[in-house]
Amino acid sequence: MIKVLFRVWPLLLCIVFIMLGNGMHFTLIGLRGGIEGFSTAELAIVTSGYFMGFLLGARLSPLMIKRVGHVRVFAALGSFMSAGLIAFPLLTEPWAWTVLRLLLGICMSGIYVTAESWLNNAATNETRGKVLSAYMIAQTLGIIGAQGLLTLGDAGTSVLFMCASILVSISFAPILLSATPVPVVEVVRPMPLRDLYTGSPLGTVGIFLLGSAFATQTGMGAVFGTQIGLTATQIALFIAMLFSGALVLQYPIGWLSDQMDRRKLIFGAASLGAASCALGWLTSGGLWPLMVSAFFAGGVAMPLYALLLAHANDSLSTEDMPAASGGLVFTFGLGAILGPLVTGLAMQGLGPYGFWLVLGATFCAIAFYALYRMTQRAVTPVDETESYLGVLPTASFVAVEAAGAWAAEKAEAEREADVEADDKS
């Protein structure tokens, strides 16, 4: 593992710094938006702008890489992102913030595609799983650390936005000074949603609903905290608990995923998420019950993403995985665009606790649909399923495709080893 990390440490360090800056900006939007008097509906549109940009960037970045190369795309997008972060306190209008968020979504999508291409190229078949796991941990730690940095300044000034911009700017030094060009990213046409749904109904519907839940948590969580009167430090802790739960629960859920019917685990995880939302709604703002709710609601959301991807891969051939990866990422993005808009309308009409109502209803929908699918299709034997790898919802189609290929190779190797062991016995 040490040798693997030594080969990719510049990339991982780059990702940590990028996520520190991006994680700060996500929470700052809710904090500063409240200070500026933006309505919940306006902040919901601003939040959705990022995910619109993310989808657009997933299509544009491979074309840009093909024309000018990874290094130039990486540096250019980093420059635009740094400039965009500084512009937020200068242009405090909802329409301007929506445009800036659209720009940042495009930039982050392209940065992910580029970084994940480098990571994938640096890994071998034997090390790819470890490299991807390290990459996901670096992302999560960066987002959690960003919440701590928010306590060092005042969201009502430009200081924190400037700090986020600085972190993003310096993050590119390790990778630009050490990375070498890699083959151009090949874009496979995403699988049509109808074919994707036919192959894996639960994977497709679940990914869409989870996109809504994830965007609601990360985009509207700070808005919710502002509206119920939490301090900036408490809001930062609330967001940090969402991602801390994912860091803690990812591996237990991953282990269970390889031991049982994944549909049952999806049902159980989504049910736990719904129960956590009910706790947050019923406790009416008690600080520590709120933190417990955030820990488990966020803790199941990210493992659910990897679970649903693994379940979808169980139903697909290896040849279909690249196209399916693009289709699933697109489906997730559609849900992520709609989630904050629905939540914003609910919070506008029902008050701040509409946040928990929409989030809980989304988890319930995933749980009930998983329960329904158990009655429609026979269970896939555990020894015929693909291996689980904890892919985060923030990953681009490059990491999703690489994780799917790794899972298929690992599962096939394990099946061959079992056959050999049976033959010897």
Side-chain angles (χ1 to χ4, degrees):
M1 183 65 177
I2 295 177
K3 291 182 179 180
V4 173
L5 293 178
F6 182 78
R7 292 184 61 189
V8 298
W9 72 264
L11 284 157
L12 297 180
L13 183 62
C14 167
I15 289 299
V16 169
F17 276 103
I18 290 172
M19 297 313 294
L20 285 171
N22 198 40
M24 288 180 69
H25 124 261
F26 255 91
T27 309
L28 273 171
I29 293 300
L31 290 172
R32 184 61 178 266
I35 294 172
E36 297 293 340
F38 292 0
S39 70
T40 306
E42 288 171 337
L43 286 171
I45 294 171
V46 170
T47 297
S48 291
Y50 176 88
F51 295 100
M52 293 178 189
F54 199 90
L55 274 187
L56 184 59
R59 298 295 181 90
L60 294 178
S61 51
L63 302 177
M64 292 188 291
I65 291 171
K66 186 175 182 180
R67 290 189 62 185
V68 300
H70 287 71
V71 173
R72 290 179 180 177
V73 170
F74 205 68
L77 294 178
S79 298
F80 281 122
M81 184 173 178
S82 182
L85 289 169
I86 292 177
F88 275 104
L90 302 177
L91 302 167
T92 52
E93 295 290 339
W95 68 266
W97 277 25
T98 302
V99 173
L100 289 173
R101 288 274 289 179
L102 183 73
L103 172 65
L104 263 61
I106 293 172
C107 291
M108 279 305 301
S109 181
I111 288 168
Y112 283 141
V113 169
T114 310
E116 290 165 9
S117 299
W118 263 315
L119 277 174
N120 196 36
N121 187 69
T124 64
N125 289 339
E126 292 73 24
T127 63
R128 184 161 287 109
K130 294 178 181 179
V131 168
L132 287 172
S133 294
Y135 170 65
M136 300 306 167
I137 292 172
Q139 280 198 34
T140 307
L141 291 177
I143 296 174
I144 294 172
Q147 310 315 310
L149 294 177
L150 288 172
T151 64
L152 303 179
D154 181 2
T157 68
S158 301
V159 173
L160 291 176
F161 286 99
M162 292 171 63
C163 289
S165 176
I166 291 170
L167 286 167
V168 170
S169 295
I170 65 175
S171 69
F172 296 96
I175 190 170
L176 293 177
L177 293 174
S178 63
T180 56
V182 298
V184 174
V185 178
E186 296 293 337
V187 183
V188 178
R189 184 179 178 85
M191 183 179 291
L193 293 184
R194 178 180 297 178
D195 295 344
L196 197 59
Y197 177 80
T198 301
S200 179
L202 177 56
T204 306
V205 174
I207 286 285
F208 173 80
L209 292 171
L210 192 65
S212 171
F214 178 78
T216 294
Q217 288 181 349
T218 57
M220 301 300 291
V223 179
F224 164 74
T226 299
Q227 291 191 350
I228 65 171
L230 296 182
T231 66
T233 299
Q234 290 170 336
I235 291 172
L237 179 60
F238 177 72
I239 302 299
M241 292 300 285
L242 290 170
F243 290 92
S244 298
L247 195 62
V248 172
L249 297 181
Q250 182 78 260
Y251 288 95
I253 290 177
W255 181 82
L256 287 171
S257 171
D258 290 336
Q259 313 299 318
M260 60 185 293
D261 182 356
R262 285 184 171 138
R263 295 172 301 179
K264 293 181 180 178
L265 190 54
I266 290 168
F267 170 78
S271 297
L272 177 58
S276 301
C277 294
L279 175 65
W281 183 47
L282 294 172
T283 52
S284 301
L287 182 60
W288 291 111
L290 199 62
M291 298 306 162
V292 172
S293 299
F295 181 88
F296 285 104
V300 299
M302 295 187 197
L304 264 173
Y305 182 72
L307 265 177
L308 289 162
L309 286 178
H311 174 72
N313 285 339
D314 291 341
S315 307
L316 300 168
S317 65
T318 304
E319 294 75 19
D320 287 334
M321 283 183 185
S325 297
L328 289 168
V329 170
F330 179 75
T331 303
F332 179 87
L334 291 178
I337 292 169
L338 292 175
L341 297 177
V342 174
T343 305
L345 290 174
M347 293 174 69
Q348 190 91 359
L350 303 175
Y353 286 88
F355 169 82
W356 289 120
L357 185 63
V358 174
L359 194 57
T362 306
F363 279 124
C364 283
I366 295 172
F368 284 123
Y369 193 68
L371 196 62
Y372 166 73
R373 290 306 308 171
M374 290 183 214
T375 67
Q376 301 301 304
R377 183 176 289 182
V379 61
T380 302
V382 172
D383 58 359
E384 295 180 12
T385 61
E386 309 293 358
S387 297
Y388 172 97
L389 182 64
V391 183
L392 295 183
T394 50
S396 78
F397 68 90
V398 176
V400 172
E401 181 181 337
W406 173 87
E409 291 172 3
K410 186 172 184 292
E412 184 61 30
E414 289 174 351
R415 284 192 283 269
E416 290 176 357
D418 291 338
V419 171
E420 291 178 4
D422 292 339
D423 291 341
K424 290 179 180 179
S425 62

